[in-house]
């Protein structure tokens, strides 16, 4: 076993602190990766504070991981020691179900092995995430990272990037379409960059007036401050596609009503409380409400390659790990420009 340093929380009311644990010895298909940067996703907060229920403790959060391969197992083909590598929200899956075979591993019907707050395929051994010095991952669940973009800015692509890229691609967002992004945080800022790069006209709907300049710099064409979501009448029936990336409780109907006929609202934000949907918000214009969970391995690699080609990465605030609790508090307040990323040298 490999002694590993990390940061963990012991329960929903505890704060994160140093934690020593062990990673498995790398097997023939495994990579040992020295973690260089790990992004702070709002899902880390939801899970560390057990807002979704069922959290496993102690928990080492972190699923936006970039690092360098320090050892490659004897059967590894795609990586060698010294290569950059990325790890996202899951590190294994059953590999044989319909979803796995379709390259949609995130929807594995048997058992998705989450990077943390999950269990290995034995459904017993807990997994620990990226707020740590190193990780051991099967090469098939590891992404290739180009050295051409700054690594700290690449880390958030492994979750915030793929979670926004995937629904934009699935619903063929592009030129001639009006797209709204709700919630300008880690996911939201990537959604703006991607939707704009795909040629759509992008409007940001935000509760934070102070983010307007940033939204335009990120590629948005319009910015609307939401004071009262009931007061969005001027935008009714306007958008072809809305990406909802809000982390807190909010009124979905207010946003559904902004879709034109046959428009799609893709929910990627994951507030804990159930949400109410008015039948007429969907019926009147044959609107679609869908959810979307991260993305499969193939699509994640496609997104990373797209980012390399288009020179797209996240806007980040790099922090030492000792500031992670403060970063959580600022994230909850919507005060992050636009992703905190932990420099793992500071561990
Ligand atoms: P984040 O950086 O905290 O951004 C969330 C944004 O939501 C905030 O910046 C804020 O934007 C807006 N917001 C926050 N509180 C609000 C409130 N009370 N009312 C209205 N708007 C509010 O979070 P994130 O990391 O982007 O994650 C967003 C959500 O997506 C989280 O729930 C996370 O768990 C979920 N998630 C889902 C997936 C998936 O696969 N589906 C993947 C990753 C994350 P403004 O200041 O612009 O209003
Ligand atoms: Zn995430
Ligand atoms: Zn499967």
């Amino acid at each position: 076993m490999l002694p590993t340093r990390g940061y963990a929380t012991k329960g929903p009311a505890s704060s994160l602190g140093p934690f020593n644990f062990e990673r498995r010895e790398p097997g023939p298909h495994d990579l040992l990766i020295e973690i260089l940067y790990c992004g702070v996703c709002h899902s880390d907060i939801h899970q560390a504070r057990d807002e979704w229920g069922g959290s496993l403790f102690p928990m080492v959060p972190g699923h936006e991981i970039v690092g360098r391969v320090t050892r490659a197992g004897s059967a590894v083909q795609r990586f060698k020691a010294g290569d950059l590598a990325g790890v996202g929200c899951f590190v294994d899956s059953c590999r044989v179900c319909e979803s796995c075979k379709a390259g949609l591993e995130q929807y594995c019907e048997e058992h998705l092995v989450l990077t943390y707050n999950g269990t290995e395929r034995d459904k017993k051994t807990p997994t620990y995430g990226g707020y740590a010095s190193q990780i051991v991952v099967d090469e098939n669940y590891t992404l290739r990272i180009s050295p051409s973009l700054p690594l700290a800015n690449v880390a958030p692509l492994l979750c915030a990037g793929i979670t926004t890229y995937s629904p934009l691609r699935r619903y063929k967002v592009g030129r001639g379409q009006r797209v709204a992004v709700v919630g300008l945080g880690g996911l939201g800022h990537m959604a703006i960059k991607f939707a704009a790069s795909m040629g759509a006209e992008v409007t940001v709907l935000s509760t934070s007036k102070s983010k307007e300049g940033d939204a335009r710099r990120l590629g948005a064409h319009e910015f609307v401050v939401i004071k009262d979501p009931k007061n969005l009448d001027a935008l009714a029936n306007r958008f072809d596609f809305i990406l909802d990336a809000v982390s807190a409780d909010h009124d979905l109907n207010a946003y559904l009503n902004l879709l034109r006929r046959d428009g799609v609202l893709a929910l990627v934000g994951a507030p804990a409380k159930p949400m109410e949907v008015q039948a007429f918000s969907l019926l009147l214009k044959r609107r679609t409400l869908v959810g979307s969970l991260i993305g499969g391995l193939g699509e994640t690699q496609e997104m990373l390659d797209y980012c390399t080609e288009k020179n797209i990465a996240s806007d980040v605030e790099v922090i030492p790990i000792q500031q992670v609790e403060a970063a959580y508090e600022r994230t909850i307040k919507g005060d992050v420009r636009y992703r905190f990323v932990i420099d793992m040298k500071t561990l």
Side-chain angles (χ1 to χ4, degrees):
M1 300 295 265
L2 304 177
T4 299
R5 288 169 300 115
Y7 246 52
T9 175
K10 298 203 162 60
S14 309
S15 41
L16 287 147
F19 175 68
N20 292 321
F21 62 104
E22 289 181 327
R23 301 283 193 194
R24 67 170 181 268
E25 264 320 314
H29 297 280
D30 285 338
L31 305 173
L32 174 62
I33 299 167
E34 176 200 1
I35 300 176
L36 299 173
Y37 294 99
C38 184
V40 175
C41 178
H42 207 117
S43 302
D44 298 350
I45 306 174
H46 291 308
Q47 292 175 91
R49 303 196 172 175
D50 199 15
E51 292 169 2
W52 294 335
S55 284
L56 305 172
F57 296 100
M59 181 190 300
V60 177
H63 58 205
E64 294 183 336
I65 300 167
V66 291
R68 198 174 288 285
V69 176
T70 49
R71 209 196 300 170
S74 55
V76 167
Q77 307 212 325
R78 294 163 56 237
F79 292 86
K80 58 181 188 323
D83 285 350
L84 295 174
V87 181
C89 298
F90 57 92
V91 288
D92 211 339
S93 64
C94 86
R95 306 173 188 219
V96 294
C97 74
E98 220 176 286
S99 296
C100 283
K101 281 198 194 136
L104 296 166
E105 298 86 357
Q106 75 274 31
Y107 302 117
C108 177
E109 284 133 53
E110 207 268 319
H111 183 60
L112 181 69
V113 180
L114 294 172
T115 303
Y116 70 88
N117 193 26
T119 53
E120 299 285 359
R121 284 173 66 185
D122 63 9
K123 298 188 183 169
K124 283 200 287 273
T125 312
T127 53
Y128 295 120
Y131 299 1
S133 54
Q134 58 187 5
I135 191 165
V136 176
V137 186
D138 187 304
E139 69 157 329
N140 295 306
Y141 288 75
T142 307
L143 289 309
R144 296 199 59 90
I145 301 289
S146 151
S148 69
L149 292 169
L151 276 188
N153 306 67
V154 168
L157 299 178
L158 276 307
C159 175
I162 184 58
T163 301
T164 50
Y165 180 89
S166 182
L168 290 168
R169 279 291 189 229
R170 178 163 173 76
Y171 296 98
K172 301 187 171 38
V173 164
R175 210 160 292 287
Q177 291 187 352
R178 288 182 178 147
V179 169
V181 174
V182 192
L184 211 186
L187 268 55
H189 94 289
M190 290 312 305
I192 301 172
K193 291 190 189 207
F194 284 138
S197 77
M198 292 166 188
E201 185 190 301
V202 183
T203 299
V204 173
L205 307 178
S206 170
T207 60
S208 311
K209 187 166 180 9
S210 61
K211 295 179 183 174
E212 174 161 7
D214 287 340
R216 292 188 188 279
R217 179 178 52 77
L218 294 164
H221 307 89
E222 289 197 57
F223 184 88
V224 177
V225 184
I226 313 160
K227 292 204 184 74
D228 177 1
K230 289 194 175 52
N231 221 343
L232 292 168
D233 291 354
L235 298 176
N237 307 324
R238 181 178 171 84
F239 299 107
D240 300 281
F241 183 85
I242 299 178
L243 193 104
D244 179 342
V246 175
S247 53
D249 196 21
H250 61 291
D251 178 12
L252 271 183
N253 302 289
Y255 301 106
L256 285 168
N257 289 327
L258 308 188
L259 289 172
R260 61 189 292 259
R261 178 175 54 76
D262 291 329
V264 174
L265 186 149
L267 183 65
V268 291
K273 274 219 246 156
M275 298 159 117
E276 271 187 18
V277 177
Q278 282 255 309
F280 286 105
S281 304
L282 296 173
L283 268 53
L284 285 179
K285 301 252 175 236
R286 198 164 63 181
R287 298 173 175 121
T288 303
L289 169 63
V290 295
S292 188
L293 182 74
I294 41 177
L297 291 162
E299 194 173 45
T300 304
Q301 191 65 61
E302 176 193 309
M303 177 275 312
L304 288 165
D305 297 346
Y306 179 86
C307 287
T308 304
E309 185 197 318
K310 302 262 182 187
N311 202 24
I312 292 174
S314 283
D315 289 26
V316 304
E317 295 188 51
V318 177
I319 54 163
I321 197 154
Q322 294 75 16
Q323 283 176 19
V324 69
E325 279 289 331
Y328 277 18
E329 293 308 322
R330 279 187 52 198
T331 301
I332 291 164
K333 286 195 221 129
D335 174 25
V336 47
R337 302 288 190 276
Y338 279 90
R339 195 55 134 194
F340 288 111
V341 172
I342 302 164
D343 180 349
M344 219 47 74
K345 276 200 308 290
T346 61
L347 179 66

